[in-house]
Every structure is written in structure tokens, then in C-alpha cells.
Amino acid sequence: MDGSELAGKILYTWMTLVLGFILLPSAFGVSLGISQIYMKILVKTLEWATIRIEKGVSKKSVLKHSASVGIIQRDESPMEKGLSGLRGRDFELSDVFYFSKKGLEAIVEDEVTQRFSSEELVSWNLLTRTNVNFQYISPRLTMVWVLGVLVRYCILLPLRVTLAFIGISLLVMGTTLVGQLPESSLKNWLSELVHLTCCRICVRALSGTIHYHNKQYKPQKGGICVANHTSPIDVLILTMDGCYAMVGQVHGGLMGIIQRAMVKACPHVWFERSEMKDRHLVTQRLREHIADKKKLPILIFPEGTCINNTSVMMFKKGSFEIGGTIHPVAIKYNPQFGDAFWNSSKYNMKGEDAVQFANRVKSAIAVQGGLTELPWDGGLKRARVKDTFKEEQQKNYSKMIVGNGSLNSESN
Amino acid sequence: MGSRSSHAARIPDVDSIRRETGFSQASLIRLYHRFQALDRNEKGYLSRVDLQQIGALAVNPLGDRIIDSFFPDGSLRVDFPGFVRVLAHFRPVDDEDNGNRDPKEPEPLNSRMNKLRFAFQLYDLDRDGKISRHEMLQVLRLMVGVQVTEEQLESIADRTVQEADEDGDGAVSFLEFAKSLEKMNIEQKMSIRILK
């Protein structure tokens, strides 16, 4: 009897704590600053730990590198210089060297595949994501590591699971309830409240600290918000600040339940996978959505896939054809605390050509977020590259050996 | 995908690969991680499709030929030793290689001759040891795509074969190939330096 009473009491205090410290502040949009304190402690611990490790292994050879430096020494000269010739020079047997060298360089390392594995860290973060081999260094470090494991699994994990559970169920129930109401501004206000509260709960479940810069450019109703994509958590981050109408594929399972519930309260635009291939249909629906100025801004990720947050890849032009005001957003994660990158190479997507506007927006996002800009298509993760790129190289080469249609031998 | 550890012990036969290719331990670890990254379904070997997924290789006009060099004798899979063996052709030539070499041992994979052999087999499709005019045409066609007419291409091919052919058999053998390139700085043009 005592055991179950005790368990009951613990559960009761636990729920009150959760309610008081997390749920209520979420509903009112107030922050108690607990996450910030936690972050500060964590950063201090990690810095200390990294210094200890570096002292320990400094005698042995350490593989130190940053995420953006490649592993091979590259000669980035253009094709003309690489083939050691001027325009109009003839084909030589040795031309094949240039292409084979470029080809093998690509096999050893290419810009695209690099972006689809998690960023390497230079420091340690109580898990392992660096290339340095860890041996036993000192008892104090091991103690810290053990403490870290304990805190993570015994305190934080139950807390986060509870929060996530509450957050998602509240979202589903709240939106379903709100969906019963007739269309009115009350309904919209309520649905915004429900969305915001649940997102804040979920973000607290992840112990997230989010900084918003340049809030004056926040997306307005009737606009389109474009952002770089790293993981589904991006949605949570953006929704914490304001409500958006989301665009995406209909999923099954838990995601599907959430999607169906959300659409009852607030007009999101969910597609069947077959519909997505029909671009005109998609564009049409999005246009209709924007035309209604009372509807929430649409959130689109033009890269089309998740990238590992070191760079911004090619933007699909579709989102920019719809019209309406575009509000670009750059999302940058601090890789020290956790790896948000979600690697999804499960299904196929076709690549498209980028329009200059898309490129311009892409550059703006890259600059703001401190990310590298790449011309490559994120769809390369799943599909082959288009032949037009190969034709460009062939054109360049042909110009060199043939000139403008006349052969050099004729001038002899 | 996130965590990696740098255990050389996980690479099978690492010592014999090191001896055969001359790569350092650190380079081999790097290449092994690269091999694993390219091997998407963790099969333990690479197939043609895995290499074709590399964007920069797919736009290379000679991309298919380069991929062929990884699959000699019509095989469909390349394991890590085979992978590294091909890459070893592009290892930069160190001076110490030539000094300590035991003349009884086979030539290192990154010697000048072996680099030339690699380039030769990009041309020589049927592996008969000679580049015929037809094979020359095929490689040229790969490199220029549809930009050049058939007649222009044929005259280029004819001229090239004529210049290199010494014994007049209408094809370029390996020795003739090597002779026509004897002044070329092969070591520098066909080397990829792996940074530590």
C-alpha cells in the first residue's frame, strides 16, 4: 500500500511541477529562463571537457579539421587552364588526364554528398561526433560523462517524453475541438492559441533556445515564407513565433493524425503524393490560398529536402512562381548541442531548374545564416543529375578543340 | 551517419592494402569512410549505381569510362581493396618511393607507367592493348557530345592516330602512347593529394 501511495504522490508532484513550470508559461508565451540556464551550464561543461581531452591527446597525432575544409587538395582552375592550352588548340591524347583527374577527385570527395552527412564537430559534446579517438583520459572526465548519461536518461528523458506526449495530444485534441466551431474570427484566434501553445510545449520538450533576429520582417498574412530545411523540427521553430499554413505531403501514422487534426482548425494545404507531381494543380491551390488575405502565410522549404545545415542548396523555382510577397528566413542550428539533421533518402523527387529569383533568395538566406551557398540540387540525394549539366562541359571542350567550326589543320 | 570512430582495425586487410597501394594509415581511414558513405545500402561493396549517384562524376564527359575502370573484367561489384587500388594510381609520387624501392617487387601503382596505363585503358575499350581509330572516335564523341560533326571528329581522330602511330598499323599501342606523352608532366597532372 505504501509503495503505490508513494508512487501516486510522486506522480502528483511531478505533474504539478510540469503544469506550473511549463504548461502555463507556454500558454501565455512567457519564458522562465530555465532553458537558458541549462544551456549555460552545458556549454561550460563541454568547454572544460574539450580542453581536458585536447591536453590528453596532444602528444599523439590528432586529426583536426573543420567541416568545410575538404580532404583533398583541389586545383580549381577552369577547363582551359587545366588542359594547358589556349582557345582553338587541337585535341591531344593527354586531354583525357584532365577529365579523369576531375572524375576521380569527385569520387574521393564531392560537394554534394558531404552535405548529407552530419557536420563534424571539432569539440566533444558528451556524445561522439568527432574524428578523434577517445581513450581513457582521466577519472574526472569519465565522472562527468557518467553524470551526463545519468542526467540525460533519468531526468531529462522522462521529462521530454512527458512533454512531447502532452504537446502532441493537446494539439490533436485542441485542433479537433476548435474545428467544430463555425468559421469566425474567434475560431481563428483560438486555433492560433492552440497551435502556439502546443509548439511551445514541444520546443521545451526539446530544450530548445531560439533566437529570432530582425523580427520586423516577420511574414505577414497573404505572404509566403521560404526557409532552408534541415529537419522537421524547423517547422516547430518557425511556428513558435507565429502561425503558418503548411504545405506538404500527406503522411501516414502519427504525422498523418497530426496533419488531419491541424487542417480542421486552420487551412493548411496538404497534398496527396500523386498530386504533388502535377505542378499546375499545386500552384493553383497555393495561389488560391494567398489570394485570401485573411489566411495565414504559407511556409515552404524550396530546397525540397533536408540538408545538414552547413550550406544552402538549389531552390526549386515552383514556390517563386505563385506570386505574393516572399519572406526569406534562415535557420541555423548550433551543432554543439545536438544533431538536428534528418537524413531522408527514402523516396524519389525530380530536380528542376532554378530561376534567378530563387537564386537571389537563396543567397540572401545563406548570407544571413552564415551558410555556404551551393548550386547543386538537393534532389541529388535521391536521383541522378540532369544531362544538361554534362552537355555544358561537352560544349566547353568542343569549343576548345574545334573553335567556331574550323579546324586548325586547315590553316596550315 | 553521425558518429564515427577512427579505428584502422575495422578496415579488413589494412596492412596488405597499405603495402600494395602505398597510402598512409590516415589516408586509408579517410578513403574507407568515403567508401562507406558511397555505399548507401551498406552492402559492403560498391556497384555502378553508387558511383553514378555522384553529381560531379555524372556531369564529367568521361564519367562512364572512369566508372568502368573500377569494374574490370565485367564484374559488377567493387570492394574496398579494389576501390583503393584504382585510387592508388592517382597517389602523388613521393621521392622516397623511388629511393627505397626493392627492384624485385612490382612497380608501385602510382608510378608513371601505371598512371599511363590507367589513361590508356580509358581509351582502349576492348582491352586488346591497342587504341584503334574506332575507339579513338568513341572517346572523342564522349568528350564533345553532340557539338561536333562526324566529319570533323573523324579528321581529328585520324590526325591523332597518325601522329602517334609509329609502326603504321593504324592503331596506337601502349608503347606508342607512352612515347607520344614522354614530355608530359604526368606525375603532376594525374595526382590527387589527400590532406591529413
Side-chain angles (χ1 to χ4, degrees), chain B residues 98-130:
Chain B
N98 296 331
N100 306 340
R101 216 160 69 70
D102 180 1
K104 281 193 241 98
E105 275 188 24
E107 239 179 306
L109 283 170
N110 65 338
S111 70
R112 187 191 166 87
M113 272 298 152
N114 276 325
K115 287 188 204 270
L116 280 170
R117 270 196 200 100
F118 182 81
F120 188 76
Q121 47 109 7
L122 287 179
Y123 282 104
D124 185 17
L125 252 191
D126 54 7
R127 309 292 161 108
D128 63 352
K130 286 185 187 298

Side-chain angles (χ1 to χ4, degrees), chain A residues 83-265:
Chain A
L83 286 165
S84 70
L86 309 157
R87 298 215 148 229
R89 127 215 188 292
D90 295 327
F91 167 71
E92 303 246 343
L93 282 172
S94 53
D95 286 350
V96 77
F97 291 163
Y98 172 79
F99 287 116
S100 54
K101 176 169 168 177
K102 283 275 162 243
L104 273 135
E105 276 176 355
I107 291 184
V108 176
E109 171 185 58
D110 72 303
E111 284 182 322
V112 173
T113 319
Q114 247 192 326
R115 309 298 172 183
F116 293 123
S117 61
S118 307
E119 205 184 333
E120 275 187 32
L121 292 183
V122 186
S123 67
W124 188 44
N125 68 341
L126 288 177
L127 308 163
T128 318
R129 258 172 64 213
T130 75
N131 228 7
V132 180
N133 210 356
F134 295 120
Q135 312 100 336
Y136 176 79
I137 299 204
S138 80
R140 269 163 70 182
L141 205 55
T142 324
M143 274 299 302
V144 168
W145 183 79
V146 168
L147 191 63
V149 170
L150 276 175
V151 166
R152 264 209 306 279
Y153 287 104
C154 300
I155 303 181
L156 290 181
L157 183 64
L159 176 67
R160 287 177 177 167
V161 167
T162 327
L163 281 180
F165 183 69
I166 295 179
I168 296 183
S169 32
L170 266 183
L171 183 65
V172 173
M173 283 190 305
T175 43
T176 323
L177 282 175
V178 172
Q180 309 297 333
L181 296 175
E183 284 292 333
S184 66
S185 51
L186 178 68
K187 176 178 179 185
N188 291 338
W189 182 79
L190 271 180
S191 93
E192 267 197 49
L193 183 67
V194 168
H195 272 110
L196 284 173
T197 314
C198 299
C199 282
R200 290 199 189 110
I201 298 178
C202 289
V203 170
R204 275 176 177 69
L206 298 168
S207 289
T209 313
I210 307 178
H211 296 286
Y212 297 96
H213 304 268
N214 296 345
K215 270 195 166 174
Q216 66 269 24
Y217 297 124
K218 186 174 147 176
Q220 308 299 326
K221 292 202 160 94
I224 305 180
C225 176
V226 303
N228 59 322
H229 199 28
T230 303
S231 98
I233 305 178
D234 291 342
V235 171
L236 280 179
I237 293 182
L238 287 174
T239 319
M240 233 186 83
D241 193 37
C243 257
Y244 294 94
M246 284 170 236
V247 177
Q249 293 187 354
V250 172
H251 287 99
L254 181 62
M255 287 284 300
I257 300 178
I258 299 178
Q259 281 180 339
R260 280 193 291 275
M262 281 167 76
V263 92
K264 289 190 186 124

Side-chain angles (χ1 to χ4, degrees), chain B residues 177-194:
Chain B
F177 182 74
K179 186 133 182 274
S180 74
L181 293 171
E182 62 188 350
K183 294 208 188 62
M184 174 113 348
N185 185 356
I186 310 275
E187 286 83 356
Q188 189 253 328
K189 279 192 180 280
M190 279 185 73
S191 288
I192 300 176
R193 179 169 297 282
I194 299 184

Side-chain angles (χ1 to χ4, degrees), chain B residues 71-139:
Chain B
F71 301 94
D73 315 320
S75 59
L76 292 171
R77 311 173 170 195
V78 56
D79 55 4
F80 181 64
F83 180 70
V84 180
R85 228 171 271 134
V86 175
L87 291 177
H89 285 100
F90 282 75
R91 192 165 70 81
V93 178
D94 298 323
D95 293 316
E96 12 175 285
D97 278 337
N98 296 331
N100 306 340
R101 216 160 69 70
D102 180 1
K104 281 193 241 98
E105 275 188 24
E107 239 179 306
L109 283 170
N110 65 338
S111 70
R112 187 191 166 87
M113 272 298 152
N114 276 325
K115 287 188 204 270
L116 280 170
R117 270 196 200 100
F118 182 81
F120 188 76
Q121 47 109 7
L122 287 179
Y123 282 104
D124 185 17
L125 252 191
D126 54 7
R127 309 292 161 108
D128 63 352
K130 286 185 187 298
I131 307 175
S132 67
R133 180 176 167 278
H134 179 67
E135 286 169 343
M136 180 77 67
L137 258 180
Q138 281 185 317
V139 174

